[in-house]
Structure formats: C-alpha cells, structure tokens
Amino acid sequence: MSEIAEAVGDGVLPGRVWLYANYHCNLTCTYCLTESAPKVAKRELGAQRMLEVAAQARALGFTSLGVTGGEPFLLSYLTETIIEMAEMLPIVVLTNGTLFTRARLEEARGLTGAPVAIQISLDSADPVANDTMRGPENFRRVVAAIDALVARGVRVRIATTAEHIDEHELERLCQLHRGLGVADEDHIVRPILRRGRAIDSGLGVDTDLIDLPPELTITADGAYWSPFGPTVHGGRLDTDLLVSRTTSPLDKPANILLRLVQGRARGDDAKLDIR
Amino acid sequence: MELLDARRAPLLARPFFEGGDPGAIASAMAHVPEVLDATMPFLVQMFGPSALPARTKELVILRTSALLDCRYCIQSHSIAARDAGLAREEVLALRGDGPLGDQFTDRAERALLDWVDGVAGSTGPVPPEIGEALMSHFAEPDVIELTLLAGTTMMLNRFCTALGLPTSQAALARLAEDGLL
C-alpha cells in the first residue's frame, strides 16, 4: 500500500483529486474565484492529461475525482472523457448547467448508471436574485438542465454559493431542488471565498490553509492545496496555495501535499464549511 | 520577472520568507517551489559556514562572479567579502578593478585564484600544473568543495544575469558607503 493510500485510508488526506479542466467560461459571475469569462486564457488540461491523472490517482490510492473549471462543458471532449475517467474512479463534475443543449443531453445518456454526479450551481430560488449573481436567464436554463438530466437518470447535485442565506431562503431552495428530484444530501451550501473576482466585488470570507481541506488539485499550471487554490486575480494566477509546478507523475505533488499536511498545525476546518 | 513576495509565496516557499525578504534569488525560485525547496539547503551549505574559512570561500565566489560578469553576484559578494574580512582593495582586485598580484601575495591564495581562473575563466580542462599547485596547499576534500563552490557560483551567475535580478536597495547603500558601487 502506498503512503498516499495509507494517508487517505487514515483520513489524513482527503480521497478526492481535483482537475481544473479549463479556465474559460460562458458566464462572468460576480464572485468567480478564477475570474473566468469567455475570453480569458483557457489554461486547458486536455483529455489525455485528465485520463493520466485519473489513472495515476487510482494507482496511488485516491478514491474519487472532481472536475471543475472554468466551465468544463465548453470542452467538446468532456463527456466522453468523464465516462472514461469514471471507469477508474467515481467522479463529480462541476458545471454552471447552462450548456445542456439537446445534443449535449443526448451525450449525457452515457453517464446514466456511471459513478458520475453533475454538480450544478444554483444560488437562489428567486430567479432575479440568482441571475444578478450569475447572469441573465441563468435560473431558467439551470432548472431546465437539472430537470432534463434527472429525467435521463443522471445523478445531479446542486451547489449554492452564497454570502448569506437565511432559513426562509434555504427552505425555498430546498423545496425547489426536491421538486426537481434532487435529494437533500445532494444539495450543498458553501460560502463565497474572498479570492478572484469576489475581492473586487467586495464579497466573501478570507481563508487560509486552516480553512481549506487539502484536496490535491491539478491544473495546467501546477498542483495546488485545494480547488480553491488556483484562483486568478487581476488576470494573474495566485501562487499562495501552489504545492508544486510538477504534476506528473502524480505521486510527486501528492507526496509534497502529504508532507505539508503533516507539518500543518492541527485545526478545525469545519467552521467555514468550505467544500 | 516577478519576484514573489511573502503574500504570494507558495506553500513550500513560505518558510524562506518567515525571516523577511529572502533575497532576489529565492524570491525568483519560489515560482517553482519544489526547486526552491531542494535548492536552498544546498546553497546554504555551499555559501554558508563549512570546513573552509569564509575568506577563502569569498575569494572563490567573488573572483568567479567577476569572471562571469554577474552584476548581482559581484555586488552581493563584495559586501559578503568585506564581512569576511577582505580589504576594500582586495575586493576591487578580485573584481578586476586592480592588479591581483599586488593584493594577494600568499602562495596558497594565489594558487587558489589561478585555479578559479582555470575553472571559471575558460573551458576545457584546467592545466595540470595549476591543479598540482592547488593540491600542494589544499587537502583533497577542500579542492572538491572549492571546485563545487566555483561551479555553483557559475550556475547562480548565469541565473541572476539571465533573469536580470535586481540588487537590493540596502546592498546598494552599503556598497556606496564602502566606495564599491
């Protein structure tokens, strides 16, 4: 058993490896950590590299994968790549949910029954409040996508990112996702982090290592402490949570991450509920 | 070339920033933290206290840096050499701003400077008579360490020169004070 497998088994390291598939996005959300937008640098990882990371992660003893961006579904090869990755490890794919055209939904049939969850961002049950943060028509498109994916037997999770959410708002949101066929355990609520565009929008909470679970995150630019690490501000990639520029073979950044985790002061990362 | 500061220092680089500004070389290398993490202990060992006297080491470093015309290293190690006890005139001579022969009459130091000129001032093997002269004054482990020191200095000379690393304001002020700018 590798040292990494042992650390994952003992709960010292989280089991999930994240991959930043790309950085560009069809939306320009006010709190986006990576300042993603249609015309930013793509920083694309590529299908081949994604498959390599998945294979190496499994061999090392990691237990699941996450794919994020940018908007991963802007990549024509994404669905096919996810299906192949899911043969190696269970996978969650984060998306804004606005690109599920009829053709894309047909492709998504390949995800049915696979250990794949599509995690879609939905920030409010109020279309106006949601669209203020995420752009015009976002609410309508997202609700339609969730409905269509669930109807095709694809597991959908909903992620709500919010500055504040009161009980009444949360209840409205929960009624909405339950009505769409998404169970309570597949709804996560998380805070806005003060990184990326959230800094300029005056949103979010400050974070450091103690707040962020050490989930190995692979990007085109290097390996990071967490998927909340490889953020962009002022068009410049943040480096404060960079683990290593080397990402292959995966055991190199994984072992550095483990070394950093073992050297970290003990703390409670639960209070900000960042996931 | 951005020199990372403490706020942007990657995780493996953070310890090097804990005592304040770690200098331009570490701040540049911090872009590749795993390289910084591996390189700094080596550089500290090579340039810090060791079995060789500080004066001897600074002769090698400053002479090598002058031969490779590295502005950053010449300026930084003019200060280090002064701190190691070298006279201002000796520093100037090592930098090529004065005759070496007038300042360095000790036979061991002359043999060492000839060796450094052979290592860093030309390509190909160092002439055997220069090696033999060095070996008559220094033990084998010393020769190994001195040669590695010259080679390590050459590596940093090219790194600093190619990237145009800036000399710190504090170092420039000290050099001005010493008439070495």
Side-chain angles (χ1 to χ4, degrees):
Chain A
M1 183 187 271
S2 77
E3 204 180 341
I4 297 299
E6 210 168 299
V8 169
D10 293 345
V12 174
L13 271 188
R16 175 165 285 147
V17 174
W18 286 94
L19 300 89
Y20 264 74
N22 61 326
Y23 272 68
H24 60 306
C25 186
N26 55 317
L27 304 183
T28 308
C29 296
T30 54
Y31 57 78
C32 182
L33 296 172
T34 48
E35 290 187 345
S36 292
K39 289 187 177 168
V40 301
K42 292 183 178 176
R43 301 180 192 278
E44 200 173 321
L45 205 52
Q48 188 56 40
R49 184 76 194 108
M50 291 171 74
L51 292 168
E52 282 168 9
V53 171
Q56 291 174 10
R58 183 180 62 174
L60 280 172
F62 287 102
T63 53
S64 63
L65 301 168
V67 172
T68 186
E71 172 46 52
F73 280 98
L74 281 171
L75 305 171
S76 59
Y77 52 80
L78 190 81
T79 307
E80 193 185 331
T81 307
I82 291 167
I83 292 168
E84 218 172 314
M85 290 167 79
E87 287 170 10
M88 297 184 246
L89 287 172
I91 183 168
V92 59
V93 184
L94 277 52
T95 172
N96 62 39
T98 62
L99 295 174
F100 287 96
T101 57
R102 194 167 298 169
R104 186 68 85 184
L105 286 166
E106 275 314 301
E107 274 182 13
R109 283 188 192 279
L111 304 174
T112 308
V116 177
I118 303 293
Q119 180 171 308
I120 300 181
S121 301
L122 183 65
D123 292 345
S124 174
D126 172 7
V128 175
N130 180 82
D131 293 358
T132 301
M133 304 283 269
R134 304 191 57 78
E137 293 295 300
N138 180 272
F139 183 89
R140 184 186 60 74
R141 287 185 196 167
V142 165
V143 168
I146 295 169
D147 197 34
L149 286 165
V150 170
R152 284 163 176 77
V154 178
R155 183 179 171 199
V156 174
R157 296 173 66 185
I158 293 178
T160 300
T161 309
E163 184 89 318
H164 304 289
I165 188 158
D166 64 31
E167 259 181 54
H168 174 68
E169 265 181 86
L170 184 60
E171 186 48 37
R172 279 185 67 195
L173 201 48
C174 290
Q175 280 176 11
L176 176 65
H177 75 67
R178 286 173 201 139
L180 288 165
V182 176
D184 285 355
E185 63 264 28
D186 281 330
H187 179 214
I188 62 168
V189 180
R190 57 193 183 179
I192 296 172
L193 302 195
R194 195 185 297 272
R195 290 175 76 90
R197 201 176 282 132
I199 297 171
D200 303 323
S201 304
L203 297 169
V205 291
D206 287 319
T207 55
D208 198 6
L209 282 190
I210 206 76
D211 305 309
L212 299 171
E215 294 180 294
L216 183 61
T217 299
I218 303 302
T219 76
D221 298 285
Y224 282 77
W225 174 272
S226 135
F228 298 100
T231 49
V232 175
H233 186 234
R236 195 168 63 164
L237 188 66
D238 291 323
T239 50
D240 58 327
L241 296 175
L242 177 66
V243 166
S244 66
R245 289 271 299 155
T246 308
T247 59
S248 182
L250 196 66
D251 68 305
K252 181 141 190 179
N255 280 307
I256 296 174
L257 180 68
L258 180 57
R259 187 181 125 198
L260 288 164
V261 168
Q262 287 167 336
R264 182 174 68 154
R266 292 180 70 81
D268 177 13
D269 62 9
K271 60 182 183 294
L272 288 179
D273 203 16
I274 295 165
R275 49 198 169 141
Chain B
M1 172 58 54
E2 179 195 4
L3 298 180
L4 294 183
D5 58 18
R7 201 176 40 85
R8 283 179 48 77
L11 299 165
L12 281 178
R14 288 187 186 186
F16 300 102
F17 287 79
E18 277 170 4
D21 179 3
I25 292 173
S27 298
M29 281 190 189
H31 282 281
V32 192
E34 63 272 40
V35 168
L36 178 74
D37 183 57
T39 308
M40 285 310 285
F42 169 68
L43 294 181
V44 167
Q45 180 58 49
M46 289 310 303
F47 291 95
S50 71
L52 294 168
R55 174 184 167 89
T56 306
K57 294 178 84 163
E58 289 305 328
L59 290 182
V60 173
I61 299 165
L62 190 52
R63 183 66 182 165
T64 302
S65 300
L67 290 168
L68 271 79
D69 197 20
C70 175
R71 187 244 328 127
Y72 179 90
C73 300
I74 291 169
Q75 291 182 332
S76 304
H77 281 278
S78 291
I79 296 169
R82 294 285 282 130
D83 290 345
L86 274 78
R88 180 177 171 276
E89 291 69 26
E90 288 178 318
V91 168
L92 287 170
L94 288 169
R95 290 172 18 163
D97 296 331
L100 267 183
D102 292 357
Q103 296 301 327
F104 296 95
T105 52
D106 177 85
R107 292 164 75 95
E109 289 190 343
R110 282 311 307 257
L112 176 60
L113 291 174
D114 287 345
W115 175 254
V116 172
D117 286 359
V119 172
S122 64
T123 56
V126 180
E129 64 274 16
I130 292 179
E132 284 158 20
L134 185 74
M135 293 293 282
S136 69
H137 294 285
F138 291 89
E140 205 166 34
D142 293 339
V143 172
I144 297 293
E145 187 177 343
L146 289 164
T147 307
L148 188 56
L149 181 61
T152 307
T153 303
M154 291 169 76
M155 174 189 80
L156 287 183
N157 290 158
R158 298 306 297 144
F159 181 77
C160 298
T161 301
L163 296 179
L165 297 188
T167 309
S168 74
Q169 288 305 312
L172 291 172
R174 169 81 189 278
L175 289 167
E177 206 175 283
D178 256 10
L180 287 168
L181 199 54

